[in-house]
Amino acid sequence: MAGVLVWAETQRGEPKKIAYEVAGAGITLAKRLGVPAAAVIINGGNAADELKKLGFSTIYDVQGGPFESYSSEGYAEALAFAGESFGATVFLTGATALGRDLAARLAARLDAALATDVTEILYETQPLRAIRPVYSGKLLAEVELLGEQKVISLRPNVFSAAEEGEEEAEIVSISPPDPDIRARVQQALQAAEGVLDVTEADIIVSGGRGVGGPEGFKIIENLAKTMGAAVGASRVAVDEGWIPYQHQVGQTGKVISPVLYIACGISGAIQHFAGMGSSKFIIAINKDPDAPIMRKADFAIVGDLFKVLPILREELSRVLQN
Amino acid sequence: MNVAVVMKQVPDTEAAVRVDSANPASIVEDDVKFVLNPYDEYAVEEALTIAENSGGEVIGVCIGPPRSETTIRSVLAMGVARAVLITDPMAVEADVITQGKIFAAVMREMDLSLVLCGREVIDTQEDALAPAIAEALNYPHVLNAGKITVEGDRVTVIRDVEGGSLEIEAPLPAVISCQKGLNDPRYPTLIAIRRAKRKELKTVTLADLGIDLKTPNSRIVALHTPPPRAAGVIAEGEPEDVAAQCMKWLAEEAKLV
Ligand SMILES: Cc1cc2nc3c(=O)[nH]c(=O)nc-3n(C[C@H](O)[C@H](O)[C@H](O)COP(=O)(O)OP(=O)(O)OC[C@H]3O[C@@H](n4cnc5c(N)ncnc54)[C@H](O)[C@@H]3O)c2cc1C
Ligand SMILES: Nc1ncnc2c1ncn2[C@@H]1O[C@H](COP(=O)(O)O)[C@@H](O)[C@H]1O
């Protein structure tokens, strides 16, 4: 028997957006391989109900004591356990903070082939191949997964979400044997209310040195609020202390694939591009028509961000209100 | 408390990497400048601070081709006591899970409380070595540490996750990967650079470690150059005009509003 097993990541009992994306890829892969797809939900409240019509044959629901908070060791054990009952040959997670952590521990535990932060699965290849960005996105590696078992983590915002159908999955409660958990979460600290994470947002408005200071970031935040976007930043803006590190996009910050990236007062250094080069659309606003970002943007505005952004925001809020 | 720090030599972030036409799974190394993986600087700094505070030694470990030696010397100059280098091409080419086992084989002989590494290598960006080493040694692991506090035989780590952070506690020994913001890496002094030349840098082979590598679980079959982004629209003029053009583009081309 063989099958594709998906970790459907949840937060406070709700499936995260990435859960639908991983489901989409997993179900597509299973169809091509002619095998069933199943999902594992760990400490996910009633999330199984929300995902049962996506096309999985089975949803394994893991609840209780050792799984009440995330742990690499406990979750890897739960996935390995579900994988064994299901006969999983391919395991999929999102390449989120926890998904990356889990995929690696699981692959090591199973001595499986691992491909992380994958942006494309070459569904027809045998053995299976996947594409992942390397060298800060300057190149793409085609990786062949030779092991009998394979673990793949998928970059968020890249794969199409699974859609609901008619068939309902069978929901099975399982209790993995008590795992040996040593690294334990003591406390979860939330970012400030209403602050969207750059890795999860569809739109990002980002500021760099051109924003001039923490005051200047207000104008970036205002536009972001109007658009329901997250706020990003270049390393210069972070190193100057204008905005916390969690907002940094790039080589030493976060790697993101939003639908729209709006770079304001950012020159587009290679290390910044490493983080946002796979955005679907890029808008750049820069005084300097020769800044590197201007050659990479789909829409490049030559101008002063302090003059252009307020007008743009007004126009947008007018359009978005209708 | 002895700390092992794994570090890798990678192309400088500015390097224009090109695929080697003779071997499409590799890059042309000719005019590439190699440096210490940026995240590993934080791991080295943290290892040195922890060893200084607790009395212990920091040992560097690297799997890489012989050119890695220059980078290892720079880390010895920062204060790492000695280093081990594995240069077997089979090990250098191995997948990350297998490399985890090789590192574990080296480290098993050391009396370690902590293994530190960088968040990820900026060349192959696996982001998986720490769990691979941890699993092979049967240690716990924590990734992306923004803060590490060692107290007795336990360690507390703050790591970032989407929309916040987690405080994670683990017993020692443990494997931790280090994130930017953890500390400010020190610069070696000239005297330290000179002294580093005499520090022990031992090359060990897979045979020494008793490891016989089978076929890898995964391998890069080819590197591709991503298609360049198509040239876009350039809008110049009065702020009102460019904003209007941008709105039109958002509606008609990007179809986002
Ligand atoms: C190892 C390493 C890792 C790095 N990692 C990262 C990373 O993760 N992320 C990152 O971003 N960088 C990173 N960098 C730094 C990177 O090389 C650049 O220095 C940085 O991205 C530049 O930031 P910037 O674009 O904000 O500033 P600048 O390059 O100074 O650009 C500012 C731009 O703003 C424009 N401008 C100024 N005023 C205005 C105005 N009023 N209106 C419109 N435009 C204006 C200017 O024309 C200019 O183009 C890294 C560097 C190294 C060596
Ligand atoms: N070949 C290697 N030699 C030494 N350290 C390595 C090697 N590969 C990875 N590392 C370390 O592991 C960290 C994470 O790398 P990775 O998981 O491969 O992205 C890096 O920051 C390095 O500290």
Side-chain angles (χ1 to χ4, degrees):
Chain A
M1 206 170 63
V4 177
L5 188 66
V6 159
W7 177 48
E9 187 170 352
T10 57
Q11 193 172 33
R12 288 177 226 103
E14 289 293 325
K16 292 179 79 167
K17 183 162 159 257
I18 185 73
Y20 293 93
E21 296 168 11
V22 181
I27 290 163
T28 306
L29 176 62
K31 274 200 193 115
R32 305 287 175 99
L33 297 174
V35 300
V40 182
I41 298 175
I42 308 173
N43 191 37
N46 297 322
D49 275 336
E50 286 182 53
L51 301 176
K52 69 183 172 198
K53 285 189 160 180
L54 297 182
F56 295 117
S57 64
T58 314
I59 294 180
Y60 296 98
D61 197 25
V62 182
Q63 310 263 2
F67 304 102
E68 267 163 18
S69 63
Y70 178 82
S71 71
S72 333
E73 294 162 283
Y75 277 41
E77 198 52 47
L79 246 78
F81 181 77
E84 208 172 296
S85 10
F86 181 61
T89 46
V90 184
F91 295 78
L92 295 181
T93 74
T96 55
L98 299 183
R100 285 164 181 254
D101 181 89
L102 175 57
R105 188 89 198 196
L106 177 68
R109 184 155 299 182
L110 300 174
D111 200 11
L114 173 69
T116 57
D117 202 20
V118 161
T119 51
E120 191 182 343
I121 298 176
L122 304 177
Y123 294 106
E124 310 296 344
T125 49
Q126 188 54 259
L128 192 62
R129 291 185 179 186
I131 302 283
R132 47 189 308 275
V134 291
Y135 296 95
S136 321
K138 287 179 227 169
L139 296 176
L140 299 170
E142 184 172 338
V143 182
E144 188 169 51
L145 295 124
L146 297 156
E148 204 174 309
Q149 288 183 305
K150 310 170 204 303
V151 180
I152 303 175
S153 68
L154 305 178
R155 181 177 287 191
N157 278 344
V158 172
F159 291 85
S160 329
E163 281 171 26
E164 286 204 350
E166 294 302 315
E167 299 282 311
E168 277 196 16
E170 182 190 4
I171 300 175
V172 182
S173 280
I174 56 167
S175 315
D178 245 2
D180 179 18
I181 302 172
R182 291 159 296 183
R184 286 181 183 275
V185 174
Q186 301 297 321
Q187 227 189 119
L189 313 148
Q190 295 297 320
E193 193 78 37
V195 175
L196 262 172
D197 194 89
V198 286
T199 56
E200 296 192 302
D202 284 333
I203 304 177
I204 290 153
V205 186
S206 213
R209 195 199 303 273
V211 167
E215 279 307 305
F217 259 95
K218 292 264 157 49
I219 205 166
I220 303 285
E221 280 159 19
N222 283 341
L223 180 63
K225 206 174 278 167
T226 303
M227 301 185 81
V231 175
S234 74
R235 181 166 107 172
V236 168
V238 171
D239 286 354
E240 291 288 336
W242 301 345
I243 184 160
Y245 169 59
Q246 79 205 59
H247 296 273
Q248 185 180 320
V249 170
Q251 178 103 70
T252 41
K254 292 194 172 133
V255 177
I256 52 173
S257 299
V259 177
L260 176 62
Y261 188 82
I262 307 181
C264 312
I266 292 177
S267 63
I270 199 155
Q271 297 91 351
H272 189 76
F273 207 70
M276 43 61 81
S278 63
S279 305
K280 184 151 182 235
F281 295 109
I282 298 171
I283 296 180
I285 302 171
N286 201 305
K287 279 203 285 205
D288 175 8
D290 296 325
I293 191 91
M294 303 302 259
R295 286 192 301 277
K296 288 165 178 164
D298 300 286
F299 195 89
I301 298 175
V302 184
D304 183 344
L305 69 94
F306 293 102
K307 293 194 178 127
V308 178
L309 288 187
I311 302 175
L312 200 56
R313 173 168 170 254
E314 232 169 81
E315 300 258 331
L316 274 165
S317 72
R318 201 164 41 78
V319 172
L320 294 173
Q321 255 159 29
N322 292 334
Chain B
M1 153 172 319
N2 295 333
V3 185
V5 43
V6 294
M7 67 239 173
K8 190 181 179 189
Q9 189 186 49
V10 296
D12 175 35
T13 55
E14 296 284 347
V17 289
R18 283 180 296 127
V19 184
D20 184 353
S21 52
N23 175 9
S26 306
I27 60 159
V28 181
E29 292 196 354
D30 294 352
D31 18 74
V32 171
K33 185 179 150 215
F34 285 93
V35 297
L36 175 64
N37 184 42
Y39 292 110
D40 298 1
E41 293 181 25
Y42 306 113
V44 172
E45 176 60 42
E46 197 68 11
L48 292 170
T49 312
I50 291 170
E52 280 159 10
N53 291 341
S54 62
E57 201 180 45
V58 180
I59 309 149
V61 191
C62 177
I63 298 176
R67 62 166 155 74
S68 311
E69 212 174 291
T70 48
T71 293
I72 297 175
R73 290 285 168 207
S74 73
V75 169
L76 293 171
M78 282 174 77
V80 169
R82 59 191 174 90
V84 179
L85 172 63
I86 299 126
T87 59
D88 300 44
M90 283 285 277
V92 175
E93 300 292 316
D95 61 88
V96 63
I97 303 293
T98 306
Q99 287 195 340
K101 291 186 221 167
I102 300 169
F103 280 116
V106 176
M107 291 171 187
R108 214 166 272 130
E109 309 304 318
M110 301 171 178
D111 176 27
L112 296 174
S113 299
L114 262 181
V115 177
L116 298 185
C117 66
R119 182 185 93 183
E120 70 176 15
V121 282
I122 63 163
D123 53 1
T124 53
Q125 301 180 265
E126 301 282 359
D127 196 358
L129 186 69
I133 297 174
E135 185 69 22
L137 289 170
N138 191 21
Y139 291 175
H141 81 263
V142 187
L143 300 187
N144 281 26
K147 185 164 187 262
I148 299 177
T149 316
V150 175
E151 262 171 327
D153 58 358
R154 303 194 73 78
V155 61
T156 305
V157 176
I158 310 267
R159 69 147 299 165
D160 58 335
V161 291
E162 294 86 9
S165 54
L166 300 176
E167 186 188 300
I168 299 174
E169 199 194 64
L172 298 176
V175 185
I176 301 172
S177 79
C178 301
Q179 168 74 305
K180 183 189 164 182
L182 181 62
N183 51 44
D184 291 315
R186 67 191 70 183
Y187 290 104
T189 61
L190 278 173
I191 298 175
I193 292 171
R194 216 171 306 139
R195 271 201 209 122
K197 295 200 177 107
R198 293 194 302 271
K199 286 189 176 172
E200 180 186 290
L201 197 177
K202 196 162 97 186
T203 300
V204 302
T205 64
L206 289 175
D208 296 337
L209 295 168
I211 295 177
D212 183 18
L213 286 188
K214 51 178 178 62
T215 44
N217 270 340
S218 64
R219 64 191 176 103
I220 295 179
V221 285
L223 294 169
H224 305 286
T225 310
R229 291 189 81 95
V233 182
I234 303 218
E236 258 172 293
E238 290 305 310
E240 288 78 11
D241 293 341
V242 292
Q245 284 180 53
C246 185
M247 290 302 294
K248 191 159 179 269
W249 179 85
L250 275 170
E252 289 169 14
E253 301 296 324
K255 300 192 166 56
L256 291 176
V257 295

